[in-house]
Amino acid sequence: MNNFGQIASNVGTRVGDTSSSFSTTIKSYINQRYERIYKRFNWPTINPTYSISTVAGTNDYDLPSTFKNELYVFDATNLIDIDFISLQDLERNYQASINDSGNPYHYSIYDYMSTDTYPVVTKKIRFYPNPSSVLTIQVPHQLRPVALVESDELPILQCDIACEYGATADAWRTKRQFAKAGDFEALYEQTIQEMIWEIENNPNRIVQFAPKTYNQNLLY
């Protein structure tokens, strides 16, 4: 798989402009395509060992900047699954007991904006009820890619070809070569479809519905 520098070099060669100034522009195009690709489907790059150690009386915890989607949330101390609930339903359904303490059986994930002069948005997880003791909560999750910076960095998914085609299309548009841009846009879309097919289709994988008993804690 090509690294960031190689992708940028390939794009520059394709459009006939390998200058350092245009290389900076190309790298911004690559990162834009990189971000757009990860939004297209659930890719399999994960952090399988991430966990949170709770503090008694604290219900909100920061998630890493690379967090995309949780695979599951599991109380490894008490060996129980913790079920997702939206923040709106949590506040509405448990309004009278929102400050109760105990072993959590619900969690919500939300974006929090700081009140700094230059606000920062972080992703947080909230447990209900508030943990009453120290617990180990496992939260394995998909990784959200961060912008590529160094030339030797590799994408966290094998999407270098798609990034190259997409950035080439953007570069051709900058050069006002719209027909050529359209050709590479089509190659970009074709490559994305091939990636989705390769990830989601496996001859040894059976996709089926897995019934789950209703959680009595959801009764209110």
Side-chain angles (χ1 to χ4, degrees):
M1 180 168 61
N2 288 332
N3 59 32
F4 187 36
Q6 291 166 332
I7 298 170
S9 176
N10 290 346
V11 175
T13 299
R14 286 184 183 277
V15 300
D17 189 341
T18 57
S19 64
S20 58
S21 59
F22 196 59
S23 177
T24 301
T25 301
I26 288 172
K27 288 179 178 179
S28 69
Y29 292 155
I30 293 170
N31 274 315
Q32 289 169 15
R33 293 289 178 158
Y34 187 31
E35 183 174 358
R36 290 169 64 182
I37 289 170
Y38 95 84
K39 293 178 179 178
R40 295 283 292 270
F41 56 94
N42 290 322
W43 56 21
T45 309
I46 66 171
N47 180 340
T49 60
Y50 184 78
S51 63
I52 296 170
S53 294
T54 64
V55 177
T58 300
N59 62 345
D60 282 5
Y61 298 85
D62 289 335
L63 291 168
S65 60
T66 54
F67 179 93
K68 183 175 185 279
N69 293 315
E70 73 278 14
L71 300 180
Y72 58 83
V73 178
F74 181 72
D75 179 351
T77 301
N78 296 298
L79 303 180
I80 58 173
D81 287 311
I82 301 178
D83 293 323
F84 173 81
I85 187 173
S86 69
L87 194 61
Q88 295 92 330
D89 285 345
L90 177 62
E91 297 290 338
R92 181 170 60 244
N93 299 342
Y94 299 96
Q95 191 175 49
S97 59
I98 200 67
N99 293 317
D100 284 3
S101 296
N103 291 327
Y105 51 81
H106 278 320
Y107 75 93
S108 298
I109 292 178
Y110 66 97
D111 291 328
Y112 171 79
M113 179 176 288
S114 69
T115 57
D116 301 331
T117 303
Y118 301 102
V120 176
V121 176
T122 56
K123 196 169 286 289
K124 290 179 176 285
I125 186 169
R126 174 173 294 180
F127 296 112
Y128 173 84
N130 296 341
S132 58
S133 61
V134 176
L135 304 172
T136 299
I137 308 293
Q138 296 176 348
V139 190
H141 56 270
Q142 292 174 305
L143 291 175
R144 180 187 188 280
V146 297
L148 300 169
V149 177
E150 301 298 332
S151 292
D152 59 354
E153 286 188 75
L154 292 171
I156 64 172
L157 184 72
Q158 194 164 343
C159 61
D160 56 316
I161 296 175
C163 286
E164 182 179 325
Y165 287 157
T168 301
D170 294 332
W172 276 128
R173 289 191 186 93
T174 302
K175 299 290 186 180
R176 300 182 182 276
Q177 299 292 321
F178 299 109
K180 294 177 181 178
D183 289 342
F184 277 95
E185 195 68 46
L187 287 171
Y188 167 78
E189 289 295 335
Q190 179 182 340
T191 305
I192 293 293
Q193 293 303 315
E194 290 170 352
M195 290 170 60
I196 294 173
W197 175 264
E198 184 177 22
I199 290 173
E200 298 299 334
N201 290 274
N202 189 315
N204 195 39
R205 183 184 305 156
I206 299 175
V207 179
Q208 61 183 4
F209 176 72
K212 184 178 180 180
T213 57
Y214 193 77
N215 187 340
Q216 65 179 0
N217 291 316
L218 295 176
L219 297 172
Y220 58 89

